[in-house]
Amino acid sequence: MNLSVLLSVYNKENPSYLAKSLDSIFSQTLFPTEVILVKDGPLNNELDSVIDLYVSQYPNLKVFSLLTNQGLGKALNEGLKHCSYDIVARMDTDDIAKPDRFEKQLAVFEKYSDIDVVGAWIDEFEDDISDVKSVRKLPELPDDIRQFAKRRNPINHPVVMFRKSAVLAAGGYQHFPLFEDYYLWIRMLMNGAKFYNIQESLLYFRFSPEMFKRRGGWRYVISELHFLQKMRQMHFISFSEFMQNLFVRFSIRLIPNSLRAIIYTKLIR
């Protein structure tokens, strides 16, 4: 099956992380047909140099530029326009795909023609992939994934592979600060899309203690409240589910960062 890989990069990202991410794409057991990289606004010289190097080595790497920084959702929508094939694999430019990631995910699409989204687990590491701190595991089957989505994000976005047609049928990525991907999955589920999660890790996800700080505080609380209200308005969750989410999520957002880190890495993985 033909495969497009979709990435977005912006000015504050690390050039060496970008190189490692691209290396992991171009060393897959199943070589991607094309790789679409969106420059989300002007980049610095170091990032541009890395991109130029890989473009010279891999003719199937196609680069598209936005004049200004638009944010991840808009950048990915722009990239989707340039994806030539219906099967699209997402990657973030600081993560590292395991060598057989594409092969294993494509095998699911080949076996099950009614599946629209294929996710997997991820190994969360700090500094080096030998230092895995936790594994984010997710349910396997469509019905279980739908129920899980009422409480938490059911897909690890950096390792997702999906049918472009199903994403566009649900309206594509839409602006929703901090929740662009989760919002997409909810709309796709409401639109009848079927999801599947491979029950093994296929990607090394780079994280740091700063990630837990970003998932706390009043700014995150307000964004999450708006998202829960949207889920309720869409009739994806009931009023009682809304209230349960409100209590659990807000408690986590407002506790000290050290406790939030323990909950994320030890209790809800």
Side-chain angles (χ1 to χ4, degrees), residues 45-146:
N45 292 335
E46 291 81 4
L47 286 168
D48 278 327
S49 295
V50 170
I51 293 170
D52 291 343
L53 174 63
Y54 281 83
V55 167
S56 68
Q57 294 177 346
Y58 300 100
N60 63 334
L61 174 57
K62 305 171 184 178
V63 180
F64 300 91
S65 301
L66 299 176
L67 293 178
T68 60
N69 180 262
Q70 300 288 305
L72 182 61
K74 291 182 179 180
L76 294 179
N77 274 336
E78 180 64 27
L80 275 177
K81 296 177 185 177
H82 301 284
C83 289
S84 306
Y85 307 105
D86 193 43
I87 304 298
V88 178
R90 272 282 294 120
M91 272 284 293
D92 283 339
T93 51
D94 56 355
D95 297 331
I96 300 170
K98 296 188 178 182
D100 55 357
R101 177 201 160 181
F102 296 163
E103 181 179 355
K104 288 186 173 180
Q105 289 182 288
L106 277 174
V108 176
F109 282 109
E110 290 175 336
K111 186 175 181 180
Y112 303 105
S113 60
D114 61 336
I115 294 294
D116 299 295
V117 178
V118 178
W121 300 351
I122 55 175
D123 288 341
E124 297 172 322
F125 77 99
E126 189 173 356
D127 298 326
D128 189 89
I129 60 173
S130 63
D131 184 25
V132 173
K133 300 295 187 181
S134 58
V135 180
R136 185 168 195 260
K137 300 179 179 181
L138 294 168
E140 179 180 13
L141 300 176
D143 289 344
D144 295 328
I145 291 172
R146 185 181 182 89

Side-chain angles (χ1 to χ4, degrees), residues 4 37 177-178 202:
S4 299
L37 176 62
L178 306 176
L202 295 181

